[in-house]
Amino acid sequence: MPEPDSAHGPHGSAPRRLKPAPLLFEPAAAASDEAHFFDLESIEDPRELLSRSTELVLAFRAATDRAMEFQAMAAAQLADPRRFDRLTPAVIAERAEWTEDYAKKMVEFGRELMRGGEVLD
């Protein structure tokens, strides 16, 4: 997945500059243990711990941004006036647990993405 020079969400998030580390899924047994988090607790060297935890932060941010882009595109599709079953911003907001104003911004952001705005691959 190429990293863009900048990609802004509807609330003006800062541009992404660093390529994030891949997210690795934890086994169910490890995920249920609250003391266990991506094996960070086993890293004893503080330099290595800082490096790996920073990689995870960047990866989670990138995943959040990507998921938000998909939310925006889905909201735009659901609000499309050409759909016979289109939804209002109020209904979209309720389903996504957003405010109606935020839903309107997400619909517009999704339309921009679908028109060829910056969408990550």
Side-chain angles (χ1 to χ4, degrees):
M1 171 168 87
E3 192 68 17
D5 290 331
S6 73
H8 295 279
H11 42 281
S13 59
R16 292 175 290 240
R17 293 183 186 93
L18 303 173
K19 185 172 182 171
L23 289 176
L24 304 175
F25 292 95
E26 297 186 280
S32 65
D33 178 6
E34 290 185 21
H36 183 85
F37 187 73
F38 287 89
D39 210 26
L40 293 177
E41 70 287 344
S42 68
I43 300 173
E44 293 184 19
D45 178 7
R47 288 178 189 91
E48 185 181 343
L49 179 58
L50 178 61
S51 177
R52 180 62 183 145
S53 59
T54 300
E55 288 175 345
L56 285 170
V57 167
L58 294 173
F60 284 123
R61 284 181 188 159
T64 298
D65 290 345
R66 185 69 173 136
M68 183 183 65
E69 290 170 352
F70 279 101
Q71 281 183 312
M73 289 186 289
Q77 291 170 354
L78 290 169
D80 188 336
R82 297 173 293 186
R83 290 178 62 114
F84 76 93
D85 61 345
R86 73 179 172 269
L87 301 179
T88 65
V91 173
I92 293 170
E94 182 180 332
R95 287 185 179 194
E97 299 181 11
W98 297 331
T99 65
E100 188 171 348
D101 286 341
Y102 188 77
K104 289 175 185 176
K105 289 178 183 180
M106 287 294 277
V107 166
E108 186 52 42
F109 180 51
R111 287 178 179 154
E112 181 181 315
L113 289 171
M114 292 187 310
R115 280 193 300 263
E118 289 186 82
V119 179
L120 303 175
D121 292 301

PDB file of all heavy atoms in Angstrom, residues 11 17 22 25 42 50 60 64 67 69 81 83 95:
ATOM      1  N   HIS A  11     -12.019  15.994   9.675  1.00  0.00           N
ATOM      2  CA  HIS A  11     -11.701  16.862  10.793  1.00  0.00           C
ATOM      3  C   HIS A  11     -10.252  17.319  10.725  1.00  0.00           C
ATOM      4  O   HIS A  11      -9.650  17.659  11.717  1.00  0.00           O
ATOM      5  CB  HIS A  11     -12.047  16.225  12.142  1.00  0.00           C
ATOM      6  CG  HIS A  11     -11.691  14.775  12.272  1.00  0.00           C
ATOM      7  ND1 HIS A  11     -12.457  13.785  11.726  1.00  0.00           N
ATOM      8  CD2 HIS A  11     -10.653  14.160  12.842  1.00  0.00           C
ATOM      9  CE1 HIS A  11     -11.908  12.617  11.980  1.00  0.00           C
ATOM     10  NE2 HIS A  11     -10.805  12.816  12.656  1.00  0.00           N
ATOM     11  N   ARG A  17       3.131  10.744   7.244  1.00  0.00           N
ATOM     12  CA  ARG A  17       4.440  10.855   6.628  1.00  0.00           C
ATOM     13  C   ARG A  17       5.244   9.567   6.704  1.00  0.00           C
ATOM     14  O   ARG A  17       6.086   9.321   5.876  1.00  0.00           O
ATOM     15  CB  ARG A  17       5.219  11.976   7.281  1.00  0.00           C
ATOM     16  CG  ARG A  17       4.631  13.328   7.007  1.00  0.00           C
ATOM     17  CD  ARG A  17       5.488  14.423   7.610  1.00  0.00           C
ATOM     18  NE  ARG A  17       4.828  15.696   7.450  1.00  0.00           N
ATOM     19  CZ  ARG A  17       4.028  16.248   8.339  1.00  0.00           C
ATOM     20  NH1 ARG A  17       3.797  15.648   9.482  1.00  0.00           N
ATOM     21  NH2 ARG A  17       3.453  17.394   8.109  1.00  0.00           N
ATOM     22  N   PRO A  22       3.255  -3.156   9.975  1.00  0.00           N
ATOM     23  CA  PRO A  22       2.045  -3.958   9.785  1.00  0.00           C
ATOM     24  C   PRO A  22       1.455  -4.363  11.131  1.00  0.00           C
ATOM     25  O   PRO A  22       2.190  -4.597  12.080  1.00  0.00           O
ATOM     26  CB  PRO A  22       2.542  -5.189   9.025  1.00  0.00           C
ATOM     27  CG  PRO A  22       3.996  -5.259   9.335  1.00  0.00           C
ATOM     28  CD  PRO A  22       4.458  -3.847   9.564  1.00  0.00           C
ATOM     29  N   PHE A  25      -2.036  -9.766  14.121  1.00  0.00           N
ATOM     30  CA  PHE A  25      -3.131 -10.189  14.981  1.00  0.00           C
ATOM     31  C   PHE A  25      -2.614 -11.118  16.057  1.00  0.00           C
ATOM     32  O   PHE A  25      -1.767 -11.967  15.809  1.00  0.00           O
ATOM     33  CB  PHE A  25      -4.233 -10.854  14.157  1.00  0.00           C
ATOM     34  CG  PHE A  25      -4.930  -9.884  13.271  1.00  0.00           C
ATOM     35  CD1 PHE A  25      -4.541  -9.727  11.955  1.00  0.00           C
ATOM     36  CD2 PHE A  25      -5.952  -9.088  13.761  1.00  0.00           C
ATOM     37  CE1 PHE A  25      -5.171  -8.807  11.132  1.00  0.00           C
ATOM     38  CE2 PHE A  25      -6.578  -8.171  12.952  1.00  0.00           C
ATOM     39  CZ  PHE A  25      -6.186  -8.036  11.632  1.00  0.00           C
ATOM     40  N   SER A  42       6.962  -8.133  26.741  1.00  0.00           N
ATOM     41  CA  SER A  42       8.136  -9.006  26.781  1.00  0.00           C
ATOM     42  C   SER A  42       9.415  -8.298  26.317  1.00  0.00           C
ATOM     43  O   SER A  42      10.499  -8.858  26.422  1.00  0.00           O
ATOM     44  CB  SER A  42       7.901 -10.245  25.926  1.00  0.00           C
ATOM     45  OG  SER A  42       7.849  -9.874  24.568  1.00  0.00           O
ATOM     46  N   LEU A  50      10.374   1.406  22.710  1.00  0.00           N
ATOM     47  CA  LEU A  50       9.934   2.680  22.125  1.00  0.00           C
ATOM     48  C   LEU A  50       9.742   2.542  20.625  1.00  0.00           C
ATOM     49  O   LEU A  50       8.740   2.989  20.067  1.00  0.00           O
ATOM     50  CB  LEU A  50      10.936   3.789  22.437  1.00  0.00           C
ATOM     51  CG  LEU A  50      10.605   5.161  21.832  1.00  0.00           C
ATOM     52  CD1 LEU A  50       9.271   5.672  22.369  1.00  0.00           C
ATOM     53  CD2 LEU A  50      11.721   6.146  22.112  1.00  0.00           C
ATOM     54  N   PHE A  60      -1.794   1.793  13.902  1.00  0.00           N
ATOM     55  CA  PHE A  60      -3.182   2.000  14.319  1.00  0.00           C
ATOM     56  C   PHE A  60      -3.744   3.290  13.730  1.00  0.00           C
ATOM     57  O   PHE A  60      -4.905   3.343  13.328  1.00  0.00           O
ATOM     58  CB  PHE A  60      -3.311   2.012  15.842  1.00  0.00           C
ATOM     59  CG  PHE A  60      -3.237   0.641  16.461  1.00  0.00           C
ATOM     60  CD1 PHE A  60      -2.288   0.354  17.427  1.00  0.00           C
ATOM     61  CD2 PHE A  60      -4.104  -0.369  16.085  1.00  0.00           C
ATOM     62  CE1 PHE A  60      -2.218  -0.905  18.006  1.00  0.00           C
ATOM     63  CE2 PHE A  60      -4.045  -1.636  16.646  1.00  0.00           C
ATOM     64  CZ  PHE A  60      -3.095  -1.901  17.610  1.00  0.00           C
ATOM     65  N   THR A  64      -6.903   3.429  11.306  1.00  0.00           N
ATOM     66  CA  THR A  64      -8.045   4.290  11.632  1.00  0.00           C
ATOM     67  C   THR A  64      -8.390   5.190  10.454  1.00  0.00           C
ATOM     68  O   THR A  64      -9.557   5.326  10.085  1.00  0.00           O
ATOM     69  CB  THR A  64      -7.733   5.137  12.885  1.00  0.00           C
ATOM     70  OG1 THR A  64      -7.509   4.262  13.985  1.00  0.00           O
ATOM     71  CG2 THR A  64      -8.865   6.094  13.207  1.00  0.00           C
ATOM     72  N   ALA A  67      -9.972   3.089   7.658  1.00  0.00           N
ATOM     73  CA  ALA A  67     -11.341   2.700   7.996  1.00  0.00           C
ATOM     74  C   ALA A  67     -12.279   3.904   7.884  1.00  0.00           C
ATOM     75  O   ALA A  67     -13.417   3.770   7.414  1.00  0.00           O
ATOM     76  CB  ALA A  67     -11.393   2.108   9.409  1.00  0.00           C
ATOM     77  N   GLU A  69     -11.994   6.395   5.833  1.00  0.00           N
ATOM     78  CA  GLU A  69     -12.255   6.627   4.415  1.00  0.00           C
ATOM     79  C   GLU A  69     -13.354   5.689   3.915  1.00  0.00           C
ATOM     80  O   GLU A  69     -14.245   6.111   3.159  1.00  0.00           O
ATOM     81  CB  GLU A  69     -10.977   6.445   3.603  1.00  0.00           C
ATOM     82  CG  GLU A  69      -9.965   7.536   3.855  1.00  0.00           C
ATOM     83  CD  GLU A  69      -8.600   7.259   3.245  1.00  0.00           C
ATOM     84  OE1 GLU A  69      -8.364   6.142   2.737  1.00  0.00           O
ATOM     85  OE2 GLU A  69      -7.766   8.166   3.295  1.00  0.00           O
ATOM     86  N   PRO A  81     -28.593  10.570  -3.772  1.00  0.00           N
ATOM     87  CA  PRO A  81     -29.986  10.852  -4.143  1.00  0.00           C
ATOM     88  C   PRO A  81     -30.510   9.984  -5.286  1.00  0.00           C
ATOM     89  O   PRO A  81     -31.717   9.894  -5.489  1.00  0.00           O
ATOM     90  CB  PRO A  81     -29.969  12.327  -4.547  1.00  0.00           C
ATOM     91  CG  PRO A  81     -28.562  12.716  -4.692  1.00  0.00           C
ATOM     92  CD  PRO A  81     -27.715  11.700  -3.978  1.00  0.00           C
ATOM     93  N   ARG A  83     -30.314   6.787  -5.291  1.00  0.00           N
ATOM     94  CA  ARG A  83     -30.773   5.519  -4.696  1.00  0.00           C
ATOM     95  C   ARG A  83     -32.229   5.661  -4.262  1.00  0.00           C
ATOM     96  O   ARG A  83     -32.582   6.625  -3.599  1.00  0.00           O
ATOM     97  CB  ARG A  83     -29.934   5.164  -3.470  1.00  0.00           C
ATOM     98  CG  ARG A  83     -28.510   4.751  -3.780  1.00  0.00           C
ATOM     99  CD  ARG A  83     -27.766   4.464  -2.498  1.00  0.00           C
ATOM    100  NE  ARG A  83     -28.349   3.366  -1.770  1.00  0.00           N
ATOM    101  CZ  ARG A  83     -27.765   2.197  -1.553  1.00  0.00           C
ATOM    102  NH1 ARG A  83     -26.548   1.994  -2.005  1.00  0.00           N
ATOM    103  NH2 ARG A  83     -28.363   1.246  -0.867  1.00  0.00           N
ATOM    104  N   ARG A  95     -26.965   5.368  12.733  1.00  0.00           N
ATOM    105  CA  ARG A  95     -26.363   4.050  12.499  1.00  0.00           C
ATOM    106  C   ARG A  95     -24.874   4.028  12.836  1.00  0.00           C
ATOM    107  O   ARG A  95     -24.359   3.019  13.289  1.00  0.00           O
ATOM    108  CB  ARG A  95     -26.552   3.633  11.047  1.00  0.00           C
ATOM    109  CG  ARG A  95     -27.963   3.243  10.735  1.00  0.00           C
ATOM    110  CD  ARG A  95     -28.086   2.716   9.340  1.00  0.00           C
ATOM    111  NE  ARG A  95     -29.465   2.329   9.093  1.00  0.00           N
ATOM    112  CZ  ARG A  95     -29.848   1.603   8.076  1.00  0.00           C
ATOM    113  NH1 ARG A  95     -28.967   1.169   7.199  1.00  0.00           N
ATOM    114  NH2 ARG A  95     -31.115   1.296   7.913  1.00  0.00           N
TER     115      ARG A  95
END
